[in-house]
Amino acid sequence: MAKKFYGVVPPIVTPVDEQERVDEKALRALIRHCIEVGIPGIFVCGSNGECMALTQKERDRAIAITLDECGDEVPVMAGVMDSSTIRVIENVKRLEQMGGTTAVVTPVFYARHATQNETVIHFEEISKNTEADLFIYNIPTFTGQRLTADTIIELSNIDKVIGVKDTSGVFPEFVKMLRYFKDSDFMVFQGATNLAGPSVLLGADGYVPSLAPLFPKPHLALYEAAKAGDIEGMKRWSEIVDNVCKLYGLAKSQTSSTKYGMSKLGFMRPDPLRPTEPITASEMEAIDAFVEKYKEYI
């Protein structure tokens, strides 16, 4: 079976207007830009897309707009993460009604996790209640639970679970997954951009960098070099990707710095959703200078 996702799949930001409603025109322009520069897949309503800050109505709008704009051109994975199994099932059902086929699911959050098995049960119940494919999202910083490689391997045996985005940053565990899933249809994506090069070199299907829409050239080149086994090219492009990722630290909030950076493309406002602090004038100046410095990679 051909894998649905590969390469660079950015978790896109969600442009909003002054009332914190999804800016449809800007979101479509952002997606169109991603497609035109050669990005082969889109992740909508991930952490970078402020999925849990949007109202449910606006979150659904962002997903529906993305599905419509992408059409048959590139595949879409959509974040349905939530704080309980029943809430995720409701989110997945709405995604199905919109025509979505791949749901990204985390362990539940705002919960005291007792065992890894809670998340196994979580995925089993979701699988029973959907026809959509399920993508595991291991992001312990936001969920409070780091899924082990063994748990992810166990989850892969559940019907409809097709892949994982691992943002744990624990590379030995990631390598364990790569070895286990080698030559299988199960997709393994690196969520920590600083580990992208060696991950793809060792067999990862791709990675999920939030700055790829702003700096597509080095992100795409890094994937291609690593996929081809070009170690020197991978090292060269990894250094450039690491450099452009310094944009994150140019504001108090990574969300604010990322959205302001994306606004430099010319079709969206930079504002994050409350209560994230908006970017300051001095932070704007720093990011303006930074983007100018690396404009050859836009």
Side-chain angles (χ1 to χ4, degrees):
M1 183 180 75
K3 294 185 178 182
K4 186 185 297 188
F5 297 94
Y6 67 90
V8 176
V9 181
I12 58 172
V13 299
T14 306
V16 295
D17 63 19
E18 294 88 344
Q19 285 75 47
E20 298 193 349
R21 296 176 302 209
V22 175
D23 183 337
E24 179 173 352
K25 182 179 179 181
L27 179 55
R28 288 185 182 276
L30 175 61
I31 295 165
R32 186 52 39 193
H33 167 75
C34 289
I35 294 171
E36 289 176 354
V37 299
I39 288 171
I42 298 292
F43 177 16
V44 62
C45 287
S47 307
N48 191 58
E50 300 172 281
C51 61
M52 298 311 300
L54 292 163
T55 65
Q56 188 65 60
K57 177 182 178 181
E58 293 305 309
R59 181 174 170 179
D60 289 345
R61 279 191 67 225
I63 293 171
I65 291 165
T66 301
L67 290 168
D68 181 67
E69 187 64 31
C70 289
D72 295 328
E73 293 183 79
V74 297
V76 175
M77 56 175 73
V80 299
M81 56 284 285
D82 220 312
S83 54
S84 70
T85 302
I86 191 63
R87 290 172 70 94
V88 173
I89 290 171
E90 289 180 353
N91 293 344
V92 177
K93 288 185 179 298
R94 283 195 300 273
L95 173 64
E96 288 183 299
Q97 291 167 0
M98 289 183 271
T101 59
T102 305
V104 180
V105 181
T106 64
V108 300
F109 38 83
Y110 203 78
R112 293 185 175 90
H113 291 282
T115 66
Q116 296 272 304
N117 193 53
E118 287 175 341
T119 299
V120 175
I121 294 168
H122 182 54
F123 273 83
E124 287 174 340
E125 289 301 311
I126 296 165
S127 175
K128 292 174 187 175
N129 287 276
T130 184
E131 295 303 316
D133 292 329
L134 305 177
F135 221 89
I136 306 161
Y137 189 0
N138 188 21
I139 184 164
T141 303
F142 292 163
T143 65
Q145 182 182 61
R146 180 178 69 80
L147 298 175
T148 66
D150 288 341
T151 298
I152 291 167
I153 290 167
E154 184 176 357
L155 290 170
S156 74
N157 294 316
I158 297 172
D159 186 36
K160 307 180 188 79
V161 176
I162 64 168
V164 61
K165 175 196 173 187
D166 181 49
T167 313
S168 70
V170 183
F171 198 59
E173 290 280 279
F174 191 81
V175 171
K176 183 175 182 178
M177 287 189 287
L178 291 178
R179 289 173 177 161
Y180 182 85
F181 293 115
K182 183 180 180 182
D183 300 324
S184 76
D185 292 332
F186 190 83
M187 290 168 278
V188 181
F189 275 74
Q190 178 56 259
T193 302
N194 62 314
L195 298 175
S199 296
V200 175
L201 186 68
L202 291 173
D205 293 288
Y207 69 115
V208 190
S210 57
L211 284 179
L214 179 59
F215 298 114
K217 293 178 182 178
H219 285 91
L220 292 167
L222 170 56
Y223 168 75
E224 293 296 339
K227 190 70 175 176
D230 176 4
I231 294 176
E232 290 306 313
M234 180 204 73
K235 288 163 63 177
R236 181 172 68 254
W237 287 111
S238 289
E239 182 176 1
I240 294 169
V241 166
D242 286 346
N243 284 335
V244 299
C245 284
K246 292 176 182 176
L247 181 147
Y248 293 135
L250 297 180
K252 290 185 291 294
S253 163
Q254 181 173 317
T255 300
S256 295
S257 60
T258 301
K259 291 191 90 169
Y260 183 76
M262 293 298 163
S263 76
K264 302 301 290 180
L265 292 170
F267 41 68
M268 63 171 278
R269 299 170 69 249
D271 302 283
L273 293 159
R274 292 171 293 182
T276 302
E277 288 193 53
I279 199 160
T280 66
S282 62
E283 290 168 345
M284 288 182 190
E285 290 178 6
I287 294 176
D288 288 346
F290 185 89
V291 172
E292 177 65 22
K293 178 180 179 182
Y294 291 104
K295 65 181 179 180
E296 66 184 288
Y297 301 120
I298 291 176

